C-alpha cells in the first residue's frame, strides 16, 4: 500500500527565539511543544528547496548515509500561512559545537581563506586538503563501522557520492563540518543542506522539453553531466571539478569504502526512490518536476556506477 504524502509541519513565527545567521537562507530557532530545539529554514524564493532537501534526506536514509533529518514545514504569522521550508533538529546542542569546513581548513593551514562570504570559487577547497583535515576527524557520532567504511573519510566519500547522485553543486566549505565535543574531539557532521540539489530551479517548460527532446545535447542524460562540485582538483585549477570527478577523486583515497558506497547505490531500490519522490505533496512539486527528478537520479546513478 502506498505511503501517505509527507506531512507539512506548522511553525509559528512568534515562537522564534533566535535567528541563525550562518548560511544564506533565512532561518530561526525555536522550542517545539515538547521542548525540542528546532531550526526552521525558509525556502523564501519558492524554488523547491524544501522538496529537494526532503527527498535528499530520504535518499541518504536509503543508502545509510548519516544525515540531518528534515521535515517539510510552513511558517505561520498570526495564523496566516507564510513561507514554506524545512525543519530539523540541532545536531550540535551545547556543549557541542559545529565547526564548519572553512574553519577546519584554516586550523590546518592559516593561509586558507576563512572569510565565510566567499563560498564558491575557493581554489584552496581541494580534495587533498579536505582529505587531510578528515584524517584528524572521527566518524559521525553513533556511526557503526561497516566493513570497509570505517573512518570519517570513508563516510565522507558517501557524501560526495550522494552529491553526484542528486546533482548537489553546493558542497562548499560551509556545507560540511565536524562536531567538536568538550574534550576537543572532532566527529564528522551528518551531511546537511541539500536544498540546492535535484535541479530544483528548472522550469516545468524546460523539464518537459528535456524529457521529450530528440536533440542529444538537450537530454536529461546530457544535462546531468554539467553538474559542478564546489571542490577543486588542485589550487591551480581554473574550474571546480564535476560532481562525478569529485567523487572519483575522493574514492581514490579509499577504494574499498567507495566500492561499498557504490554497491549500496546499485542496490538502491528503484521502487523506493519512486515512492520517496511520490510522497512529496502535489502542492509542493509538480508532476513534471517529479518525472524529471526521477530521470535525473537514474541518469546519475548509471553514470556513477559506470564511472569509477
Ligand atoms: N541541524 C542543524 N544543527 C545545527 N546547526 C545547523 C543545523 N542546520 C544548519 N545549521 C547551521 O546553520 C548554517 C546554515 O545552514 P544550511 O547550510 O542548512 O543553510 P543555507 O542557508 O542553505 O546555507 P548556504 O548558504 O550554504 O545555502 C549551518 O552552517 C550551521 O551552522
Ligand atoms: Mg549551507
Amino acid at each position: 500500500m502506498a505511503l501517505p504524502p509527507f506531512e507539512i509541519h506548522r511553525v509559528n513565527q512568534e515562537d522564534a527565539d533566535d535567528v541563525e545567521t550562518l548560511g544564506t537562507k533565512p532561518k530561526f530557532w525555536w522550542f517545539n511543544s515538547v521542548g525540542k530545539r528546532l531550526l526552521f529554514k525558509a525556502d523564501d524564493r519558492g524554488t523547491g528547496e524544501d522538496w529537494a532537501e526532503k527527498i535528499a534526506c530520504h535518499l541518504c536514509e536509503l543508502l545509510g548515509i548519516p544525515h540531518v533529518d528534515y521535515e517539510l514545514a510552513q511558517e505561520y504569522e498570526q495564523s496566516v500561512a507564510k513561507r514554506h521550508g524545512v525543519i530539523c533538529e540541532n545536531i550540535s546542542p551545547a556543549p557541542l559545537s559545529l565547526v564548519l569546513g572553512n574553519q577546519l581548513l584554516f586550523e590546518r593551514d592559516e593561509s586558507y581563506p576563512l572569510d565565510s562570504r566567499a563560498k564558491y570559487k575557493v581554489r584552496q577547497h581541494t580534495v587533498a586538503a579536505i582529505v587531510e583535515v578528515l584524517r584528524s576527524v572521527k566518524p559521525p557520532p553513533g556511526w557503526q563501522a561497516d566493513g570497509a567504511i570505517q573512518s570519517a573519510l570513508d563516510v565522507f566519500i558517501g557524501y560526495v557520492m550522494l552529491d553526484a547522485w542528486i546533482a548537489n553543486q553546493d558542497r562548499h566549505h560551509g556545507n560540511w563540518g565536524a562536531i567538536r565535543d568538550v574534550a576537543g574531539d572532532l566527529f564528522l557532521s551528518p551531511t546537511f543542506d541539500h536544498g540546492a540539489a535535484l535541479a530544483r530551479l528548472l522550469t516545468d517548460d524546460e523539464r518537459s522539453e528535456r524529457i521529450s527532446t530528440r536533440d542529444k545535447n538537450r537530454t536529461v542524460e546530457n544535462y546531468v553531466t554539467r553538474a559542478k562540485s564546489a571542490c577543486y582538483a588542485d589550487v591551480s585549477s581554473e574550474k571546480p571539478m564535476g560532481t562525478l570527478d569529485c567523487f572519483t577523486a575522493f574514492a581514490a583515497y579509499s577504494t574499498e569504502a567507495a566500492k561499498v558506497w557504490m554497491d549500496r547505490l546499485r542496490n538502491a531500490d528503484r521502487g523506493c526512490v519512486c515512492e520517496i519522490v511520490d510522497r512529496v505533496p502535489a502542492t509542493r512539486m509538480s508532476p513534471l518536476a517529479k518525472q524529471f527528478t526521477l530521470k535525473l537520479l537514474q541518469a546519475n546513478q548509471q553514470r556513477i556506477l559506470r564511472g569509477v
Side-chain angles (χ1 to χ4, degrees):
M1 210 173 64
L3 290 166
F6 294 126
E7 189 181 340
I8 302 180
H9 295 253
R10 185 186 171 118
V11 179
N12 296 320
Q13 205 186 67
E14 41 284 20
D15 292 341
D17 62 35
D18 200 6
V19 169
E20 174 61 63
T21 51
L22 286 170
T24 44
K25 262 72 84 198
K27 288 175 227 58
F28 62 77
W29 291 98
W30 90 104
F31 285 99
N32 72 1
S33 54
V34 293
K36 201 176 267 179
R37 190 138 182 82
L38 297 171
L39 179 70
F40 172 69
K41 181 171 154 182
D43 172 19
D44 60 332
R45 293 172 299 174
T47 50
E49 287 175 9
D50 57 340
W51 60 252
E53 194 80 91
K54 182 66 178 157
I55 291 172
C57 142
H58 283 262
L59 295 177
C60 285
E61 196 68 36
L62 201 60
L63 297 180
I65 292 178
H67 61 94
V68 168
D69 243 321
Y70 293 97
E71 297 288 352
L72 296 176
Q74 186 166 20
E75 176 191 38
Y76 281 76
E77 187 186 0
Q78 313 288 357
S79 304
V80 180
K82 295 277 174 177
R83 301 172 294 186
H84 278 272
V86 290
I87 53 174
C88 58
E89 283 185 35
N90 190 348
I91 47 169
S92 52
L96 303 175
S97 58
L98 180 61
V99 189
L100 298 175
N102 56 341
Q103 179 67 35
L104 295 168
L105 288 158
F106 177 76
E107 288 174 12
R108 164 192 163 268
D109 172 3
E110 288 193 357
S111 70
Y112 190 85
L114 184 59
D115 183 353
S116 61
R117 276 171 303 174
K119 292 189 301 190
Y120 303 99
K121 300 190 178 165
V122 180
R123 292 183 189 187
Q124 296 89 334
H125 193 233
T126 63
V127 175
I130 298 168
V131 167
E132 208 182 299
V133 160
L134 293 175
R135 299 244 188 250
S136 53
V137 172
K138 296 179 178 160
W143 174 256
Q144 305 284 323
D146 174 7
I149 310 176
Q150 300 270 345
S151 66
L153 172 61
D154 295 338
V155 177
F156 194 81
I157 289 171
Y159 298 2
V160 278
M161 186 186 77
L162 170 80
D163 293 340
W165 190 20
I166 66 175
N168 181 21
Q169 311 193 90
D170 211 24
R171 182 79 60 190
H172 58 68
H173 61 198
N175 277 341
W176 62 274
I179 296 170
R180 186 171 266 150
D181 68 10
V182 276
D185 288 335
L186 291 167
F187 300 83
L188 181 66
S189 156
T191 183
F192 59 91
D193 196 2
H194 317 102
L198 296 171
R200 72 357 163 175
L201 275 179
L202 284 190
T203 60
D204 269 0
D205 282 350
E206 184 169 349
R207 290 185 178 117
S208 165
E209 191 252 320
R210 287 189 182 277
I211 287 170
S212 55
T213 186
R214 294 198 173 173
D215 176 352
K216 274 193 175 162
N217 296 321
R218 301 283 303 161
T219 59
V220 180
E221 288 72 17
N222 186 277
Y223 176 74
V224 294
T225 63
R226 294 183 357 208
K228 289 273 173 282
S229 77
C231 292
Y232 285 75
D234 188 85
V235 281
S236 61
S237 307
E238 290 283 317
K239 290 190 174 151
M241 313 171 83
T243 48
L244 182 57
D245 288 345
C246 185
F247 170 56
T248 310
F250 275 99
Y253 286 91
S254 190
T255 49
E256 289 307 309
K259 271 191 204 142
V260 175
W261 286 120
M262 288 169 71
D263 283 343
R264 292 190 187 188
L265 181 64
R266 190 173 293 108
N267 296 331
D269 184 71
R270 180 84 190 145
C272 293
V273 175
C274 292
E275 186 167 69
I276 291 167
V277 174
D278 213 40
R279 291 185 69 195
V280 176
T283 50
R284 299 305 305 145
M285 193 178 183
S286 70
L288 261 172
K290 292 187 178 189
Q291 200 188 344
F292 186 91
T293 298
L294 288 170
K295 275 204 97 151
L296 175 148
L297 288 170
Q298 192 170 31
N300 275 334
Q301 185 179 21
Q302 286 166 355
R303 246 164 36 101
I304 296 166
L305 296 176
R306 257 196 329 258
V308 180

